[in-house]
């Protein structure tokens, strides 16, 4: 009788042999045995596992099968964020990237690892004690979807590592793609069945990988290419270069793009981009650019990250792809800030890997500059994920019935007057408090901390209030009650009461906050404070014309026109009256420039810049004190700056002030200045 230990050894040998053949077949594309011999080995493994089901292991080649359909994907939080890369489209941007790297590292030249940029779906694979235990999509970089069952069906993904010294937990990152040949074959099958065709290989790969039924994924030919690995801190291998990590992954039977390379200096980066651009049509998979990474891992660590991207890496995209199509119509979209954007409606055309039916025309000036008319044949460009745009017109193909586009004089959404301020390229709706297209932005801004300061009213709750038709304008906020709020997502009775209390508290405000909360274009916090201090009365402000407004310091013709256009719109005035009727109030101002009998000449009309940490007040409090006495606080030092106030650990603004010879005050000197005896005007 054969012992179980012998059976285990036989199973282990079969699995190792089959895994090796899978590697040569799927990863290296160099099969070492005939298909019939491979099938015989696989059947032998299946038969033994059927006889001894308790000896089946999760990493067995037989386990690359589908599972019962899921109702939905579970969320998976990445232990280390899968950050995106900054993009470059020109050689100058690449040169600037290399220059920044060298300046930070203080070196003359940098070694780079070079890779093609796959046009697929980024995924993360987790190996625990050498066995694949988890697989997830990139998602937003921090949280993805658990698609482990689907990823296990891909022959190019090893179910276990080959190394003898198994790492406790290893994360392998890469891209799942559908090869061009497999994409064509899949669409042939779809066509023969009368099913909908896939638009491009990327969409086909993403759709196949995100099937709730992994049996469907198992029928699609998907390929995984590894491009990085994350090792546990306590189990770091002795690698000094990114290229060594790729070599390690290849030794573990992961598929690595054959076109990976290394180079030194920026000339090598640009040469690789040119080389890959020429190779692009002949590659078996779609790419939309190349990726440069600083090769030395120690240098990567030194460079670190900025925002949501690493400083040490860059995606250099290929030039935009262009095609021609017919411009059927031009429609207007109204953005959340009131911008009226002309959008081209196009005869469907395939460009940059997707079918395009709409493209941006930017603004009225661009349409006129490019001599675009409705009915023209136009050239469309799409670069990566950038919104398609109309590049130019083929004038030779202009039909006799082509006609010009005219920008509407009123908002197509709410009917308010649409205006274009001097010096601006964009036409905007003036119904900011009323227009449905601007509703979310208007309400969120109105409730924000520096405006009406309604604690607890964030963007997600604003979305719910709007989608449930509880709020249409800011004035509707003051009509809410607890009963209306209870039942919204994450809104129990206590939360609802807290929000109602915050809304009630916001009724006692200041004129400056209220003006800022209205969301008038070009009227920020500083301008709102200036208007409140100089005029002191809302009704008077609403009645002023542009010439009168321009008599106020720092109010130029563009800002004055923006203010008068806003208050001239009847919809806005209606909402303001509703707000005042709800009980909003502020102290009457008796200390404006028009009514006060004294000013602090040491501060009034002077421009200040604050830097460093102040001991007796916050910088916000210092700013408020300066502005109350007629001064102005800006964020940067220039020749127009009168004083720089330097607290503890001042930044580059202090050095700039020294360079320009601008007086520098410490905190005590600022306090003395603010306490100077006012003089009569």
């Amino acid at each position: 009788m054969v012992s179980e230990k012998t059976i285990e050894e036989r199973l282990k040998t079969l699995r190792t042999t089959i895994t090796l053949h899978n590697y040569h077949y799927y990863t290296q594309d160099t099969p070492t045995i005939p298909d019939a011999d491979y099938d015989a080995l696989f059947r032998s493994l299946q038969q033994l596992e059927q006889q001894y089901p308790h000896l089946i292991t999760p990493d067995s080649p037989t386990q690359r099968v589908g599972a019962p359909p899921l109702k939905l994907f579970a969320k998976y939080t990445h232990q280390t964020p899968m950050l995106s890369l900054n993009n470059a489209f020109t050689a100058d941007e690449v040169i600037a990237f290399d220059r920044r790297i060298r300046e930070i590292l203080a070196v003359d030249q940098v070694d780079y690892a070079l890779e093609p940029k796959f046009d697929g779906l980024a995924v993360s694979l987790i190996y625990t004690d050498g066995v694949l235990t988890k697989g997830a999509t990139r998602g937003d970089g921090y949280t993805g979807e658990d698609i482990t069952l689907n990823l296990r069906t891909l022959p190019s993904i090893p179910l276990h590592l080959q190394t003898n010294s198994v790492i406790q937990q290893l994360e392998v990152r890469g891209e799942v793609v559908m090869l061009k040949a497999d994409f064509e074959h899949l669409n042939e099958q779809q066509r023969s069945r009368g099913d909908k065709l896939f638009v491009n290989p990327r969409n086909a790969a993403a759709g196949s990988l995100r099937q709730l039924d992994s049996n469907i994924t198992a029928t699609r030919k998907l390929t995984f290419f590894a491009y990085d690995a994350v090792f546990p801190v306590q189990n770091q291998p002795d690698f000094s270069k990114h290229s060594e990590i790729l070599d390690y992954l290849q030794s573990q039977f992961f598929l690595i793009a054959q076109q990976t390379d290394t180079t030194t200096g920026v000339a090598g980066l640009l040469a690789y981009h040119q080389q890959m651009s020429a190779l692009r049509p002949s590659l078996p998979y779609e790419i939309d650019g190349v990726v440069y990474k600083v090769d030395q891992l120690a240098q990567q660590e030194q460079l670190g990250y900025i925002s949501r991207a690493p400083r040490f890496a860059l995606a250099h995209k290929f030039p935009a792809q262009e095609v021609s199509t017919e411009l059927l119509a031009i429609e207007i979209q109204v953005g959340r800030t009131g911008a009226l954007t002309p959008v081209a409606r196009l005869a469907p055309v395939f460009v940059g890997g997707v079918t395009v039916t709409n493209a941006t025309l930017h603004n009225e000036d661009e349409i006129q500059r490019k001599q675009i008319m409705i009915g023209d044949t136009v050239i469309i460009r799409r670069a990566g994920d950038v919104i398609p745009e109309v590049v130019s017109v083929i004038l030779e193909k202009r039909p006799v019935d082509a006609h010009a586009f005219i920008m509407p004089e009123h908002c197509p959404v709410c009917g308010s007057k649409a205006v274009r301020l001097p010096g601006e390229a964009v036409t905007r709706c003036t119904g900011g408090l009323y227009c449905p297209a601007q509703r979310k932005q208007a309400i969120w801004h109105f409730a924000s901390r520096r405006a009406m300061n309604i604690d607890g009213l964030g963007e997600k709750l604003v979305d719910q209030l709007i989608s449930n038709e509880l709020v249409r304008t800011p004035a509707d906020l003051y009509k809410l009650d607890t009963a209306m709020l209870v039942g919204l997502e994450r809104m129990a009775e206590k939360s609802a009461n807290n929000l109602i209390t915050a809304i009630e508290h916001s009724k006692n405000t200041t004129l400056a906050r209220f003006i800022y909360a209205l969301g008038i274009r070009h009227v920020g916090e500083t301008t709102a404070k200036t208007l409140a201090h100089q005029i002191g009365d809302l009704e008077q402000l609403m009645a002023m014309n542009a010439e009168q407004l321009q008599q106020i310091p720092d109010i130029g013709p563009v800002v004055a026109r923006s203010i008068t256009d806003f208050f001239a719109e009847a919809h806005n005035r209606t909402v303001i009256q509703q707000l005042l009727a709800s009980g909003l109030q502020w102290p009457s101002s008796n200390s404006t420039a028009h009514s006060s009998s004294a000013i602090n000449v040491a501060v009034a009309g002077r421009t200040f810049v604050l830097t460093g940490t102040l001991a007796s007040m916050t910088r916000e409090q210092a700013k408020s004190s300066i502005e109350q006495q007629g001064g102005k606080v800006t964020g940067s030092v220039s020749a127009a700056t009168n004083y720089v106030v330097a607290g503890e650990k001042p930044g580059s603004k202090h050095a700039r002030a020294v360079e320009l010879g601008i007086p520098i005050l410490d905190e005590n000197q600022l306090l003395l200045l603010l306490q100077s005896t006012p003089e009569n005007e």
Side-chain angles (χ1 to χ4, degrees):
M1 183 178 177
V2 180
S3 68
E4 187 163 298
K5 184 175 181 181
T6 302
I7 297 299
E8 284 183 335
E9 290 296 324
R10 173 62 178 157
L11 286 169
K12 183 177 179 180
T13 300
L14 279 169
R15 290 165 183 155
T16 301
T17 303
I18 292 170
T19 298
L20 184 61
H21 288 310
N22 282 341
Y23 172 71
H24 285 295
Y25 185 91
Y26 292 107
T27 304
Q28 300 284 22
D29 200 22
T30 55
T32 52
I33 60 173
D35 288 350
D37 292 351
Y38 175 88
D39 292 340
L41 285 170
F42 201 88
R43 280 196 302 273
S44 297
L45 178 59
Q46 284 179 313
Q47 290 168 359
L48 271 177
E49 289 184 342
Q50 287 170 1
Q51 291 176 335
Y52 303 93
H54 62 287
L55 297 180
I56 297 176
T57 59
D59 58 337
S60 172
T62 62
Q63 300 307 296
R64 291 189 188 277
V65 294
L70 300 172
K71 291 184 178 180
L72 50 83
F73 293 115
K75 297 298 182 184
Y76 177 79
T77 301
H78 299 293
Q79 296 178 17
T80 303
M82 295 183 70
L83 301 178
S84 56
L85 298 179
N86 287 325
N87 293 326
F89 294 91
T90 66
D92 288 343
E93 290 174 305
V94 176
I95 292 169
F97 163 75
D98 174 69
R99 182 175 62 251
R100 287 193 299 270
I101 296 295
R102 290 185 289 107
E103 287 174 353
I104 294 172
L105 296 176
V107 296
D108 294 328
Q109 281 191 318
V110 177
D111 295 330
Y112 293 98
L114 312 171
E115 304 163 14
K117 186 180 182 299
F118 297 100
D119 193 14
L121 191 71
V123 300
S124 165
L125 307 173
I126 304 297
Y127 289 82
T128 305
D129 295 329
V131 177
L132 177 64
T133 55
K134 189 71 66 178
T137 62
R138 177 183 178 273
D140 63 2
Y142 296 90
T143 303
E145 293 175 312
D146 184 342
I147 55 169
T148 307
L149 296 176
N150 292 354
L151 288 168
R152 288 177 60 84
T153 69
L154 275 62
S156 53
I157 293 180
L159 296 177
H160 64 85
L161 302 178
Q162 302 300 309
T163 181
N164 292 326
S165 56
V166 173
I167 297 170
Q168 185 177 4
Q169 182 161 301
L170 170 68
E171 180 182 3
V172 178
R173 294 178 173 179
E175 199 96 358
V176 172
V177 302
M178 183 172 285
L179 302 182
K180 294 176 182 177
D182 295 330
F183 171 72
E184 294 297 334
H185 180 66
L186 175 61
N187 263 352
E188 286 176 9
Q189 291 179 328
Q190 296 289 104
R191 191 179 294 109
S192 65
R193 292 193 295 260
D195 293 337
K196 183 180 178 181
L197 300 183
F198 290 96
V199 175
N200 54 53
R202 187 190 186 282
N203 284 1
S208 301
L209 200 55
R210 298 186 70 255
Q211 292 288 331
L212 293 173
D213 186 350
S214 58
N215 289 288
I216 297 177
T217 306
T219 66
R220 307 274 174 85
K221 288 191 174 181
L222 300 172
T223 304
F224 174 78
F225 287 89
Y227 57 64
D228 203 2
V230 180
F231 299 90
V233 175
Q234 69 277 14
N235 204 178
Q236 286 279 354
D238 189 23
F239 297 140
S240 62
K241 300 179 180 179
H242 174 74
S243 52
E244 293 175 357
I245 292 178
L246 296 183
D247 291 339
Y248 167 79
L249 291 174
Q250 197 162 20
S251 74
Q252 299 304 305
F253 290 2
F254 287 98
L255 181 58
I256 305 296
Q258 294 181 0
Q259 293 76 23
T260 57
D261 205 349
T262 58
T263 192
T264 301
V266 70
L269 301 182
L270 298 175
Y272 181 74
H273 182 266
Q274 185 175 5
Q275 173 195 347
M276 292 303 296
S277 181
L279 279 176
R280 185 183 184 186
S282 62
L283 292 175
Y285 45 75
E286 293 283 358
I287 61 173
D288 57 3
V290 296
V291 176
Y292 311 133
K293 297 177 183 175
V294 172
D295 199 20
Q296 293 286 345
L297 299 181
Q299 291 181 339
Q300 286 189 10
E301 186 173 353
Q302 183 179 345
L303 290 163
Y305 300 81
I306 181 170
S307 185
R308 293 184 59 169
R311 280 196 181 94
F312 55 82
L314 184 72
H316 189 180
K317 297 293 194 74
F318 290 131
Q321 299 182 34
E322 299 180 351
V323 296
S324 64
T325 189
E326 183 184 356
L327 174 59
L328 303 176
I330 296 177
E331 298 178 1
I332 293 294
Q333 286 185 350
V334 183
R336 60 189 294 177
T337 61
L340 273 62
T341 303
V343 176
R345 303 302 184 198
L346 309 166
V349 63
F350 191 78
V351 56
V354 300
T355 299
V356 170
T357 56
N358 304 321
T360 181
L361 291 164
H362 298 294
N363 54 57
E364 188 177 14
D365 287 350
E366 279 292 284
I367 293 174
Q368 293 175 358
R369 185 180 68 81
K370 295 174 181 177
Q371 303 178 55
I372 296 171
M373 297 182 72
I374 298 168
D376 276 337
T377 297
V378 293
I379 294 175
I380 306 300
R381 173 190 295 152
R382 181 178 181 271
D385 294 328
V386 177
I387 298 170
E389 66 170 332
V390 176
V391 179
S392 60
V393 172
I394 302 177
L395 294 174
E396 297 79 9
K397 293 187 177 183
R398 173 166 287 170
V400 293
D401 60 347
H403 55 285
F405 165 76
I406 299 174
M407 181 66 75
E409 295 181 358
H410 292 85
C411 172
V413 175
C414 72
S416 298
K417 186 180 177 182
V419 300
R420 180 176 170 184
L421 295 176
E424 292 195 352
V426 177
T427 300
R428 296 180 185 275
C429 167
T430 58
L433 295 180
Y434 170 82
C435 181
Q438 303 173 65
R439 186 169 289 161
K440 177 182 175 181
Q441 176 70 15
I443 294 170
W444 178 80
H445 173 78
F446 183 86
S448 61
R449 183 170 63 87
R450 288 189 167 94
M452 300 304 291
N453 193 25
I454 302 178
D455 187 35
L457 189 57
E459 285 192 78
K460 290 185 178 179
L461 183 52
V462 169
D463 281 337
Q464 288 192 74
L465 293 173
I466 291 173
S467 62
N468 285 278
E469 298 185 354
L470 297 174
V471 171
R472 291 180 176 82
T473 74
D476 291 334
L477 293 171
Y478 297 93
K479 301 174 185 177
L480 295 172
D481 57 36
T482 302
M484 297 167 70
L485 296 173
V486 172
L488 297 178
E489 185 180 349
R490 297 184 180 178
M491 187 58 66
E493 186 171 352
K494 182 177 180 181
S495 300
N497 285 330
N498 288 341
L499 179 58
I500 295 300
T501 300
I503 292 173
E504 198 63 30
H505 284 166
S506 74
K507 290 182 178 180
N508 294 309
T509 184
T510 64
L511 178 58
R513 278 182 175 270
F514 184 78
I515 295 171
Y516 175 64
L518 295 177
I520 305 170
R521 182 156 179 80
H522 297 304
V523 177
E525 284 184 87
T526 300
T527 302
K529 289 175 181 177
T530 299
L531 293 169
H533 292 153
Q534 295 287 326
I535 301 170
D537 181 77
L538 180 63
E539 288 296 332
Q540 184 181 342
L541 172 63
M542 293 171 66
M544 293 177 74
N545 59 35
E547 290 73 21
Q548 291 170 323
L549 286 167
Q550 289 179 63
Q551 301 305 310
I552 297 172
D554 298 325
I555 304 294
V558 172
V559 178
R561 170 75 184 279
S562 183
I563 294 169
T564 55
D565 283 341
F566 182 88
F567 289 124
E569 180 52 55
H571 292 139
N572 293 334
R573 298 178 76 95
T574 298
V575 175
I576 291 170
Q577 292 305 318
Q578 291 171 347
L579 286 166
L580 297 177
S582 298
L584 267 72
Q585 58 184 355
W586 47 83
S588 60
S589 176
N590 296 315
S591 57
T592 66
H594 290 295
S595 60
S596 65
S597 59
I599 58 172
N600 186 342
V601 294
V603 177
R606 307 301 174 97
T607 299
F608 293 73
V609 172
L610 306 175
T611 181
T613 303
L614 302 176
S616 65
M617 67 184 100
T618 65
R619 277 161 60 170
E620 191 65 32
Q621 290 170 331
K623 178 182 177 183
S624 178
S625 297
I626 292 169
E627 290 175 341
Q628 285 174 6
Q629 297 196 26
K632 180 180 178 182
V633 178
T634 63
S636 59
V637 180
S638 69
T641 304
N642 297 109
Y643 297 107
V644 169
V645 180
E648 186 181 352
K649 296 182 180 178
S652 58
K653 296 172 185 176
H654 181 277
R656 179 65 173 159
V658 172
E659 180 184 336
L660 295 176
I662 293 169
I664 298 172
L665 307 178
D666 61 24
E667 186 170 352
N668 290 330
Q669 290 171 318
L670 172 64
L671 292 172
L672 288 172
L673 201 66
L674 292 171
Q675 294 165 9
S676 298
T677 303
E679 297 181 12
N680 291 334
E681 284 185 292

